Amino acid sequence: MAAPPDPYFSHWADHAATRTIAAHPDAQVYTVAAGITPSGVVHVGNFREIITVDLVARALREQGKQVRFIYSWDDFDVFRKVPVGMPQQDMLKDNLRRSIADVPDPYGEHDSYASHNIAALERSIEPLGIECEFIRQSKRYRAGAYAAGIRKALEHRDDIRRILDQYRREPLPASWLPLAGFDSETGRDDLSFSWDGDWTVTYTVASTGRQHAVDLREGGDIKLPWRIDWPMRWSVEGVMFEPGGKDHSSDGGSYDTAKQIVEQVYAGWAPQYVAYDFVSIKGMGGKISSSSGNVVTVSDCLGVYEPKLLRWLFASYRPNTEFAISFDLDVLRIYEEYDRAVQLAHEPEDGSRKDKKRQVARRTLDLADPAGERVVPGTKPPFQPAFRPLSMLLQIYDGDIARARAHYESTGELVSEREGAMFEQRARCVWNWIDEFAPPDFRYRIRAEPATLELEGEPRIALERLVAALEQDPKASDAELVPHMKQMFEGLELGPKEFFPVVYQLLIDRPKGPKLTTLISVMGIERALPLLQASLA
């Protein structure tokens, strides 16, 4: 593999871009492509294909190339299975074996089931800075855009059958034609075909016996099967880069046969290719599947992960590496890793071995930025509160993001409008995670009303000392409370391990929580005192 001429272009997407340029050195426009069948909710596993192409498209643009990024909605495919959890299950079952583009929307919001799933994905990727040209294949086929491609497949049907038979246990019959489609009356795909050797295809409907002739040039409901459709569209669109899932990438898989078909039938080329692995969700076994109801969408992810962080997560792994998106406590670790990468990327280079890590972090973050903004080495990154302390603060403030922001502004950490916008975004993600996904032992709330514990002996003495210290210094900061905590146990056998659970119980109805001095100073001593004093009455 030839290295990019500029060492800055060191990411796997840069190498894919360089291979694509080398394969088409004289191209004026570099066409990159992705696509999915909207047969169910478009999930974050499908998103891996979109983001893979987007990263390579950006890498091409940054090497000075004009790029056309097309995203095909394969909504002319057959509706084969009703996904679990969809409304109107009976209606959907009645529409099996029809084109997805013709199945009614079970939510009643769009003109079809396909349109509903398409709109949800297109809306969800807007914050991610992905710019592509969406193509609905049902419209292209029905407009006759692929008439020449279908006819060429028919003319080379023996060549195509020979290519496919290399990998089939049972060879295709000699009468086989590379056609699929739907009856214009029933909408179903139970068709057999004949061809007149020119532009007319005639089909017979198995369920009704009806025959119907179609002039390919006029469009209609005739299409190519997937294994022929894919290379045909490569030739029509001039696709130069397109990834595929590992199920398409195995020996004899659809990419293997498509490479041969595009060269031998369409006199075209196979695009530069990377295989991508599955994305799983922490706590769910196996790959994500919309038909089984095992679905997490891009919108779900953006509820917990900032757009740049979500892009960074995908950009950090090579496409052929499987990884999991977490919604459990691993969310804290992922945010911490991301924040460390931001700090590393902003460090100035000093000629040490660490420079390589700085360059990798910087390039990954540059590609991850939705707006394409680059990190400048040696500059100070915008302030972002770490996930863990922010989660503590938001819980103390009962999810009040404005109060949490005011806290960081009062400390002088959050100063600019940009930092304020970044803070708001992160705070929403943190609170969504706490509210929806955090384990019970991570969550807490400040008591709304005091509770009373019967305390005698040393526990009561320690609580009296704590209350006295807080009453004496009601504006004490976190740091100023630390000496009081140390003096509280002088002359007592009781220690923090035995006493602090009592204080936590009085404040948050739990035996443990965030650092006690931080908890008291942030919630406010005036709010803490009534909760502690009640047990001394």
Side-chain angles (χ1 to χ4, degrees):
M1 180 192 302
D6 184 341
Y8 171 75
F9 299 122
S10 56
H11 192 265
W12 59 258
D14 295 313
H15 294 298
T18 301
R19 288 200 316 272
T20 304
I21 294 169
H24 306 277
D26 301 321
Q28 297 298 307
V29 176
Y30 286 80
T31 300
V32 298
I36 191 70
T37 300
S39 56
V41 175
V42 184
H43 53 68
V44 74
N46 305 134
F47 175 69
R48 189 164 203 179
E49 177 159 325
I50 308 173
I51 190 66
T52 297
V53 180
D54 181 71
L55 293 169
V56 174
R58 287 186 177 216
L60 284 164
R61 292 187 188 107
E62 291 180 4
Q63 293 191 43
K65 304 303 178 184
Q66 187 176 342
V67 178
R68 181 189 183 207
F69 178 2
I70 59 176
Y71 189 86
S72 285
W73 288 113
D74 292 325
D75 60 338
F76 210 33
D77 287 357
V78 179
F79 185 45
R80 301 179 186 278
K81 185 177 181 181
V82 178
V84 175
M86 282 281 176
Q88 299 198 54
Q89 292 273 309
D90 291 341
M91 180 276 287
L92 291 174
K93 287 175 184 174
D94 289 342
N95 280 275
L96 290 173
R97 309 309 307 180
R98 299 184 71 194
S99 160
I100 300 167
D102 296 331
V103 176
D105 177 13
Y107 296 91
E109 298 172 353
H110 296 84
D111 61 7
S112 72
Y113 176 71
S115 295
H116 183 93
N117 295 326
I118 288 168
L121 186 280
E122 292 185 5
R123 188 168 56 247
S124 71
I125 66 172
E126 287 176 2
L128 295 162
I130 296 172
E131 297 179 4
C132 53
E133 174 189 340
F134 291 105
I135 296 175
R136 291 188 64 162
Q137 293 302 330
S138 61
K139 294 182 178 180
R140 296 296 295 274
Y141 266 110
R142 284 172 167 163
Y146 300 133
I150 298 172
R151 176 168 174 170
K152 187 159 283 190
L154 289 166
E155 291 169 346
H156 291 266
R157 60 193 180 281
D158 293 336
D159 297 321
I160 295 173
R161 187 174 67 246
R162 174 180 49 77
I163 291 168
L164 298 180
D165 280 349
Q166 296 174 91
Y167 308 103
R168 292 176 58 88
R169 292 179 181 173
E170 296 288 333
L172 292 164
S175 60
W176 174 82
L177 292 175
L179 294 171
F182 306 93
D183 176 36
S184 57
E185 287 189 355
T186 66
R188 301 305 200 276
D189 70 335
D190 56 336
L191 311 180
S192 58
F193 301 94
S194 62
W195 175 50
D196 70 348
D198 196 7
W199 291 104
T200 301
V201 168
T202 301
Y203 64 76
T204 302
V205 185
S207 57
T208 66
R210 187 176 88 95
Q211 287 193 334
H212 183 65
V214 177
D215 186 325
L216 297 174
R217 294 167 296 186
E218 296 176 1
D221 292 327
I222 302 297
K223 68 187 294 288
L224 293 171
W226 161 247
R227 282 187 180 243
I228 303 99
D229 170 73
W230 199 19
M232 181 273 292
R233 286 193 273 129
W234 286 348
S235 70
V236 172
E237 301 288 359
V239 178
M240 299 170 184
F241 173 83
E242 182 170 4
K246 69 178 184 180
D247 47 345
H248 293 304
S249 311
S250 58
D251 185 36
S254 50
Y255 181 70
D256 232 5
T257 55
K259 284 192 298 183
Q260 299 175 59
I261 291 170
V262 74
E263 292 170 0
Q264 297 179 34
V265 174
Y266 293 103
W269 61 75
Q272 296 298 303
Y273 185 81
V274 296
Y276 58 86
D277 211 325
F278 299 130
V279 176
S280 57
I281 302 301
K282 181 79 177 295
M284 295 183 183
K287 75 172 185 174
I288 307 168
S289 166
S290 57
S291 63
S292 66
N294 187 26
V295 170
V296 172
T297 66
V298 174
S299 292
D300 294 332
C301 293
L302 288 173
V304 171
Y305 293 102
E306 302 161 13
K308 185 173 180 178
L309 196 156
L310 184 62
R311 287 182 60 96
W312 172 83
L313 192 57
F314 280 85
S316 297
Y317 289 94
R318 288 187 169 274
N320 60 354
T321 305
E322 183 176 359
F323 73 96
I325 293 180
S326 301
F327 287 82
D328 59 9
L329 282 171
D330 272 357
V331 171
L332 279 72
R333 174 187 57 79
I334 293 169
Y335 266 86
E336 288 165 358
E337 290 176 354
Y338 171 76
D339 287 345
R340 284 197 296 270
V342 171
Q343 293 294 330
L344 182 64
H346 279 81
E347 290 177 5
E349 295 183 11
D350 56 12
S352 68
R353 292 182 179 180
K354 197 176 178 182
D355 280 352
K356 181 65 176 175
K357 292 183 178 179
R358 294 181 178 116
Q359 291 162 5
V360 170
R362 194 175 305 126
R363 182 61 180 141
T364 305
L365 282 164
D366 289 352
L367 286 167
D369 192 276
E373 183 178 331
R374 289 190 180 187
V375 173
V376 178
T379 59
K380 183 181 178 182
F383 169 73
Q384 278 274 66
F387 191 103
R388 192 182 295 269
L390 179 55
S391 69
M392 180 201 74
L393 195 72
L394 284 169
Q395 292 189 81
I396 291 171
Y397 290 149
D398 298 319
D400 190 330
I401 291 174
R403 286 184 67 192
R405 176 172 177 167
H407 168 82
Y408 285 107
E409 289 173 337
S410 70
T411 63
E413 296 169 284
L414 202 162
V415 295
S416 69
E417 277 190 34
R418 181 188 179 193
E419 289 175 338
M422 292 172 67
F423 171 83
E424 299 270 347
Q425 188 175 70
R426 176 164 291 196
R428 285 194 298 272
C429 289
V430 171
W431 186 248
N432 286 343
W433 179 78
I434 292 168
D435 198 41
E436 296 184 34
F437 302 105
D441 61 356
F442 190 90
R443 301 178 186 177
Y444 56 86
R445 293 288 185 275
I446 306 298
R447 283 186 184 272
E449 299 292 335
T452 303
L453 296 179
E454 296 292 333
L455 299 175
E456 300 294 338
E458 291 191 345
R460 185 179 181 87
I461 293 170
L463 183 59
E464 288 172 344
R465 290 177 179 179
L466 175 59
V467 168
L470 297 178
E471 288 173 337
Q472 181 182 348
D473 194 359
K475 300 296 182 183
S477 66
D478 188 340
E480 290 167 342
L481 286 175
V482 172
H484 292 302
M485 293 295 176
K486 292 179 179 178
Q487 295 166 6
M488 194 186 312
F489 304 106
E490 288 181 359
L492 303 179
E493 293 184 8
L494 183 75
K497 187 175 181 181
E498 296 79 23
F499 179 64
F500 283 177
V502 173
V503 182
Y504 284 122
Q505 200 71 47
L506 293 173
L507 296 177
I508 61 175
D509 194 22
R510 280 181 44 189
K512 60 182 180 179
K515 183 183 174 187
L516 192 54
T517 54
T518 305
L519 174 62
I520 293 173
S521 63
V522 172
M523 68 181 286
I525 290 174
E526 68 283 355
R527 188 179 178 191
L529 274 171
L531 301 177
L532 301 174
Q533 290 165 334
S535 294
L536 298 176

Coordinates of all heavy atoms in Angstrom, one line a residue, residues 350-412:
D350 N 7.0 17.8 20.2 CA 8.3 18.1 20.8 C 9.4 17.2 20.3 O 10.5 17.2 20.9 CB 8.2 18.1 22.4 CG 7.7 16.7 22.8 OD1 7.7 15.7 22.0 OD2 7.4 16.6 24.0
G351 N 9.2 16.5 19.3 CA 10.2 15.6 18.7 C 10.4 14.3 19.5 O 11.3 13.5 19.1
S352 N 9.5 14.0 20.4 CA 9.6 12.8 21.2 C 8.8 11.7 20.5 O 8.1 11.9 19.5 CB 9.1 13.0 22.6 OG 7.7 13.3 22.6
R353 N 8.9 10.5 21.1 CA 8.1 9.4 20.5 C 6.6 9.6 20.7 O 5.8 9.0 19.9 CB 8.5 8.1 21.3 CG 9.9 7.6 21.0 CD 10.2 6.3 21.7 NE 11.5 5.8 21.4 CZ 12.0 4.7 22.0 NH1 11.3 3.9 22.8 NH2 13.2 4.3 21.7
K354 N 6.2 10.4 21.6 CA 4.8 10.7 21.8 C 4.2 11.5 20.7 O 3.0 11.5 20.5 CB 4.6 11.5 23.1 CG 3.2 11.5 23.7 CD 3.1 12.2 25.0 CE 1.7 12.2 25.5 NZ 1.6 12.9 26.8
D355 N 5.0 12.1 19.8 CA 4.5 12.8 18.7 C 3.6 12.0 17.8 O 2.6 12.4 17.2 CB 5.6 13.4 17.8 CG 6.2 14.7 18.5 OD1 5.5 15.2 19.4 OD2 7.2 15.2 18.0
K356 N 4.0 10.7 17.6 CA 3.2 9.8 16.7 C 1.8 9.7 17.3 O 0.8 9.7 16.5 CB 3.9 8.5 16.6 CG 3.1 7.5 15.7 CD 3.1 7.9 14.2 CE 2.4 6.9 13.3 NZ 2.3 7.4 12.0
K357 N 1.7 9.5 18.6 CA 0.4 9.3 19.2 C -0.4 10.6 19.1 O -1.6 10.6 18.9 CB 0.5 9.0 20.7 CG 1.1 7.5 20.9 CD 1.1 7.2 22.4 CE 1.6 5.8 22.6 NZ 1.7 5.4 24.0
R358 N 0.3 11.8 19.2 CA -0.4 13.0 19.1 C -1.0 13.2 17.7 O -2.1 13.7 17.5 CB 0.6 14.2 19.4 CG 1.0 14.2 20.8 CD 2.0 15.4 21.0 NE 2.4 15.5 22.4 CZ 3.7 15.4 22.9 NH1 4.6 15.1 22.0 NH2 3.9 15.5 24.1
Q359 N -0.2 12.8 16.7 CA -0.6 12.9 15.3 C -1.9 12.0 15.0 O -2.8 12.4 14.3 CB 0.5 12.6 14.3 CG 1.6 13.6 14.4 CD 2.9 13.0 13.8 OE1 3.0 11.9 13.3 NE2 4.0 13.8 13.9
V360 N -1.8 10.8 15.5 CA -3.0 9.9 15.3 C -4.2 10.4 16.0 O -5.3 10.5 15.4 CB -2.6 8.5 15.9 CG1 -3.9 7.6 15.9 CG2 -1.5 7.8 15.1
A361 N -4.1 10.9 17.2 CA -5.2 11.5 17.9 C -5.8 12.7 17.2 O -7.0 12.9 17.0 CB -4.8 11.9 19.3
R362 N -4.9 13.5 16.6 CA -5.3 14.8 16.0 C -6.0 14.4 14.7 O -7.1 15.0 14.4 CB -4.0 15.6 15.7 CG -4.3 17.0 15.2 CD -3.0 17.8 15.1 NE -2.2 17.7 16.3 CZ -1.0 17.3 16.4 NH1 -0.3 17.0 15.3 NH2 -0.3 17.3 17.6
R363 N -5.5 13.5 13.9 CA -6.1 13.2 12.6 C -7.5 12.5 12.8 O -8.4 12.8 12.1 CB -5.2 12.2 11.8 CG -5.8 11.9 10.4 CD -6.0 13.1 9.6 NE -6.5 12.8 8.2 CZ -7.4 13.6 7.6 NH1 -7.9 14.7 8.2 NH2 -7.8 13.2 6.4
T364 N -7.6 11.7 13.8 CA -8.9 11.0 14.1 C -9.9 12.1 14.5 O -11.1 12.0 14.1 CB -8.7 10.0 15.2 OG1 -7.7 9.0 14.8 CG2 -10.0 9.2 15.4
L365 N -9.5 13.0 15.4 CA -10.4 14.0 15.8 C -10.8 15.0 14.7 O -11.9 15.5 14.6 CB -9.8 14.8 17.0 CG -9.9 14.1 18.3 CD1 -8.9 14.8 19.3 CD2 -11.3 14.1 18.9
D366 N -9.9 15.3 13.8 CA -10.2 16.1 12.6 C -11.3 15.5 11.8 O -12.2 16.1 11.3 CB -8.9 16.4 11.8 CG -7.9 17.3 12.5 OD1 -8.3 17.9 13.6 OD2 -6.8 17.5 12.0
L367 N -11.1 14.2 11.5 CA -12.1 13.5 10.7 C -13.4 13.3 11.5 O -14.5 13.2 10.8 CB -11.6 12.1 10.3 CG -10.5 12.1 9.2 CD1 -9.9 10.7 9.2 CD2 -11.1 12.4 7.9
A368 N -13.4 13.3 12.8 CA -14.6 13.2 13.6 C -15.4 14.4 13.7 O -16.6 14.4 14.0 CB -14.2 12.6 15.0
D369 N -14.8 15.6 13.5 CA -15.5 16.8 13.7 C -16.6 17.0 12.7 O -16.3 17.0 11.5 CB -14.5 18.0 13.7 CG -15.1 19.3 14.2 OD1 -15.8 20.0 13.4 OD2 -15.0 19.6 15.4
P370 N -17.8 17.2 13.1 CA -18.9 17.3 12.1 C -18.7 18.5 11.2 O -19.1 18.4 10.0 CB -20.2 17.5 13.0 CG -19.8 16.9 14.3 CD -18.4 17.1 14.5
A371 N -18.1 19.5 11.6 CA -17.9 20.7 10.8 C -16.5 20.6 10.0 O -16.2 21.5 9.3 CB -17.9 22.0 11.6
G372 N -15.7 19.6 10.3 CA -14.5 19.5 9.6 C -13.4 20.4 10.2 O -12.4 20.6 9.5
E373 N -13.6 20.9 11.4 CA -12.6 21.8 12.0 C -11.4 21.0 12.4 O -11.5 20.0 13.1 CB -13.2 22.5 13.2 CG -12.3 23.6 13.8 CD -13.0 24.3 14.9 OE1 -14.3 24.5 14.9 OE2 -12.3 24.8 15.9
R374 N -10.2 21.6 12.2 CA -8.9 20.9 12.5 C -8.4 21.4 13.9 O -8.6 22.5 14.3 CB -7.9 21.1 11.5 CG -8.1 20.4 10.2 CD -6.9 20.5 9.3 NE -7.1 19.8 8.0 CZ -6.1 19.6 7.1 NH1 -4.9 20.1 7.4 NH2 -6.3 18.9 6.0
V375 N -7.8 20.4 14.6 CA -7.1 20.8 15.8 C -5.7 21.5 15.5 O -5.0 21.0 14.6 CB -6.8 19.5 16.7 CG1 -5.9 19.8 17.9 CG2 -8.1 18.9 17.1
V376 N -5.4 22.5 16.2 CA -4.2 23.2 16.0 C -3.2 22.8 17.2 O -3.5 23.1 18.3 CB -4.3 24.8 16.0 CG1 -3.0 25.5 15.8 CG2 -5.3 25.2 14.9
P377 N -2.1 22.2 16.9 CA -1.2 21.7 17.9 C -0.7 22.9 18.8 O -0.5 24.0 18.2 CB 0.0 21.1 17.2 CG -0.6 20.8 15.8 CD -1.6 21.8 15.5
G378 N -0.6 22.7 20.1 CA -0.2 23.7 20.9 C -1.2 24.7 21.4 O -0.9 25.6 22.2
T379 N -2.4 24.5 21.0 CA -3.5 25.4 21.4 C -4.3 24.8 22.6 O -4.2 23.5 22.8 CB -4.5 25.7 20.3 OG1 -5.1 24.5 19.8 CG2 -3.8 26.5 19.2
K380 N -5.0 25.6 23.4 CA -5.7 25.1 24.5 C -7.1 24.6 24.0 O -7.8 25.4 23.3 CB -5.9 26.2 25.5 CG -6.6 25.8 26.8 CD -6.8 26.9 27.8 CE -7.5 26.5 29.0 NZ -7.7 27.6 29.9
P381 N -7.5 23.4 24.3 CA -8.8 22.9 23.9 C -9.9 23.6 24.7 O -9.7 24.1 25.8 CB -8.8 21.4 24.3 CG -7.8 21.3 25.4 CD -6.7 22.3 25.1
P382 N -11.1 23.8 24.1 CA -12.2 24.4 24.8 C -12.5 23.6 26.0 O -12.4 22.4 26.1 CB -13.3 24.3 23.8 CG -12.7 24.1 22.4 CD -11.4 23.4 22.7
F383 N -12.9 24.3 27.1 CA -13.2 23.6 28.3 C -14.5 22.7 28.2 O -15.5 23.1 27.6 CB -13.5 24.6 29.4 CG -14.1 24.0 30.7 CD1 -13.3 23.2 31.5 CD2 -15.5 24.2 31.0 CE1 -13.9 22.6 32.7 CE2 -16.0 23.6 32.1 CZ -15.2 22.8 32.9
Q384 N -14.3 21.5 28.6 CA -15.4 20.5 28.7 C -15.3 19.9 30.1 O -14.3 19.3 30.4 CB -15.3 19.5 27.6 CG -15.8 19.9 26.3 CD -17.3 19.7 26.2 OE1 -18.1 20.3 26.9 NE2 -17.7 18.8 25.3
P385 N -16.4 19.9 30.9 CA -16.3 19.2 32.2 C -16.3 17.7 31.9 O -17.0 17.2 31.0 CB -17.6 19.6 32.9 CG -18.6 20.0 31.8 CD -17.7 20.6 30.7
A386 N -15.6 17.0 32.8 CA -15.5 15.5 32.6 C -16.9 14.9 33.0 O -17.7 15.5 33.7 CB -14.5 15.0 33.6
F387 N -17.2 13.8 32.4 CA -18.5 13.2 32.5 C -18.9 12.9 33.9 O -20.0 13.2 34.4 CB -18.5 11.9 31.7 CG -19.9 11.3 31.5 CD1 -20.6 11.4 30.3 CD2 -20.5 10.5 32.5 CE1 -21.8 10.8 30.1 CE2 -21.7 10.0 32.3 CZ -22.4 10.1 31.1
R388 N -18.0 12.3 34.7 CA -18.3 11.8 36.0 C -18.6 13.0 37.0 O -19.7 13.0 37.6 CB -17.1 11.0 36.6 CG -17.5 10.2 37.9 CD -16.3 9.5 38.4 NE -15.9 8.4 37.5 CZ -16.3 7.2 37.5 NH1 -17.2 6.8 38.5 NH2 -15.9 6.2 36.7
P389 N -17.8 14.0 37.1 CA -18.2 15.1 38.0 C -19.4 15.9 37.5 O -20.2 16.4 38.3 CB -16.9 16.0 38.0 CG -16.1 15.6 36.9 CD -16.4 14.2 36.6
L390 N -19.6 16.0 36.2 CA -20.8 16.6 35.7 C -22.0 15.8 36.0 O -23.1 16.4 36.3 CB -20.7 16.8 34.1 CG -21.9 17.5 33.4 CD1 -22.2 18.8 34.1 CD2 -21.6 17.7 32.0
S391 N -21.9 14.5 36.0 CA -23.1 13.7 36.4 C -23.4 13.9 37.8 O -24.6 13.9 38.2 CB -22.8 12.2 36.1 OG -21.8 11.7 36.9
M392 N -22.4 14.1 38.6 CA -22.7 14.3 40.1 C -23.3 15.7 40.2 O -24.3 15.8 41.0 CB -21.3 14.3 40.8 CG -21.5 14.5 42.3 SD -19.9 15.1 43.0 CE -19.9 16.8 42.4
L393 N -22.8 16.7 39.6 CA -23.4 18.0 39.7 C -24.8 18.1 39.2 O -25.7 18.7 39.9 CB -22.5 19.0 38.8 CG -22.7 20.5 39.1 CD1 -22.1 20.8 40.4 CD2 -22.0 21.3 38.0
L394 N -25.1 17.4 38.1 CA -26.5 17.5 37.6 C -27.4 16.7 38.5 O -28.6 17.2 38.6 CB -26.5 16.8 36.2 CG -26.0 17.7 35.1 CD1 -25.8 16.9 33.8 CD2 -26.9 18.9 34.8
Q395 N -27.0 15.7 39.2 CA -27.9 15.0 40.1 C -28.1 15.8 41.3 O -29.2 15.9 41.9 CB -27.3 13.6 40.5 CG -27.3 12.7 39.3 CD -27.0 11.3 39.7 OE1 -27.8 10.5 40.1 NE2 -25.7 10.9 39.4
I396 N -27.1 16.6 41.8 CA -27.3 17.5 42.9 C -28.3 18.5 42.6 O -29.1 18.9 43.4 CB -25.9 18.1 43.3 CG1 -25.0 17.0 43.9 CG2 -26.1 19.2 44.3 CD1 -23.6 17.4 44.2
Y397 N -28.2 19.0 41.3 CA -29.2 20.1 40.9 C -30.4 19.5 40.2 O -31.2 20.2 39.6 CB -28.5 21.0 39.9 CG -27.4 21.9 40.5 CD1 -26.3 22.2 39.7 CD2 -27.4 22.3 41.8 CE1 -25.3 23.0 40.2 CE2 -26.4 23.1 42.3 CZ -25.4 23.5 41.5 OH -24.4 24.2 42.1
D398 N -30.7 18.2 40.4 CA -31.9 17.6 39.9 C -32.1 17.8 38.4 O -33.2 18.0 38.0 CB -33.1 18.1 40.7 CG -33.1 17.8 42.2 OD1 -32.7 16.7 42.5 OD2 -33.4 18.7 43.0
G399 N -31.0 17.7 37.7 CA -31.1 17.8 36.2 C -31.2 19.2 35.7 O -31.4 19.4 34.5
D400 N -31.0 20.2 36.5 CA -31.1 21.6 36.1 C -29.8 22.0 35.4 O -28.8 22.4 36.0 CB -31.4 22.5 37.3 CG -31.7 24.0 36.9 OD1 -31.2 24.4 35.8 OD2 -32.5 24.6 37.6
I401 N -29.8 22.0 34.1 CA -28.6 22.3 33.3 C -28.2 23.7 33.4 O -26.9 24.0 33.5 CB -28.8 21.9 31.8 CG1 -29.0 20.3 31.7 CG2 -27.7 22.4 30.9 CD1 -29.3 19.9 30.3
A402 N -29.1 24.6 33.5 CA -28.8 26.0 33.7 C -28.0 26.3 35.0 O -27.0 27.0 35.0 CB -30.0 26.9 33.6
R403 N -28.4 25.7 36.1 CA -27.7 25.8 37.3 C -26.3 25.2 37.2 O -25.3 25.8 37.8 CB -28.5 25.2 38.5 CG -29.7 25.9 38.9 CD -30.3 25.3 40.1 NE -29.5 25.4 41.3 CZ -29.7 24.7 42.4 NH1 -30.7 23.9 42.5 NH2 -28.9 24.9 43.5
A404 N -26.2 24.0 36.6 CA -24.9 23.4 36.4 C -24.0 24.3 35.6 O -22.8 24.5 35.9 CB -25.0 22.0 35.7
R405 N -24.5 24.9 34.5 CA -23.7 25.8 33.7 C -23.2 27.0 34.6 O -22.1 27.4 34.5 CB -24.5 26.3 32.5 CG -23.7 27.3 31.7 CD -24.5 27.6 30.4 NE -23.8 28.7 29.6 CZ -24.0 29.0 28.4 NH1 -25.0 28.3 27.7 NH2 -23.3 29.9 27.7
A406 N -24.2 27.6 35.4 CA -23.8 28.7 36.2 C -22.7 28.4 37.2 O -21.8 29.2 37.5 CB -25.0 29.2 37.0
H407 N -22.7 27.1 37.6 CA -21.6 26.7 38.6 C -20.3 26.8 37.9 O -19.3 27.3 38.4 CB -21.9 25.2 39.0 CG -20.7 24.6 39.7 ND1 -20.4 24.8 41.0 CD2 -19.7 23.8 39.2 CE1 -19.3 24.1 41.4 NE2 -18.9 23.5 40.3
Y408 N -20.2 26.3 36.6 CA -18.9 26.3 35.9 C -18.5 27.7 35.5 O -17.3 28.0 35.4 CB -18.9 25.3 34.7 CG -18.8 23.9 35.1 CD1 -19.9 23.0 35.0 CD2 -17.6 23.3 35.6 CE1 -19.9 21.7 35.4 CE2 -17.5 22.0 36.0 CZ -18.7 21.2 35.9 OH -18.6 19.9 36.2
E409 N -19.5 28.5 35.3 CA -19.2 29.9 35.0 C -18.7 30.7 36.2 O -17.7 31.5 36.1 CB -20.4 30.6 34.4 CG -20.8 30.1 33.0 CD -22.1 30.7 32.5 OE1 -23.0 31.1 33.4 OE2 -22.3 30.8 31.3
S410 N -19.2 30.3 37.4 CA -18.8 31.0 38.6 C -17.3 30.6 39.0 O -16.6 31.4 39.6 CB -19.7 30.6 39.7 OG -19.6 29.3 40.1
T411 N -16.9 29.4 38.6 CA -15.5 29.0 38.9 C -14.5 29.5 37.9 O -13.3 29.4 38.0 CB -15.4 27.4 38.9 OG1 -15.8 26.9 37.5 CG2 -16.4 26.8 39.9
G412 N -15.0 30.2 36.8 CA -14.2 30.7 35.8 C -13.7 29.7 34.8 O -12.8 30.0 33.9

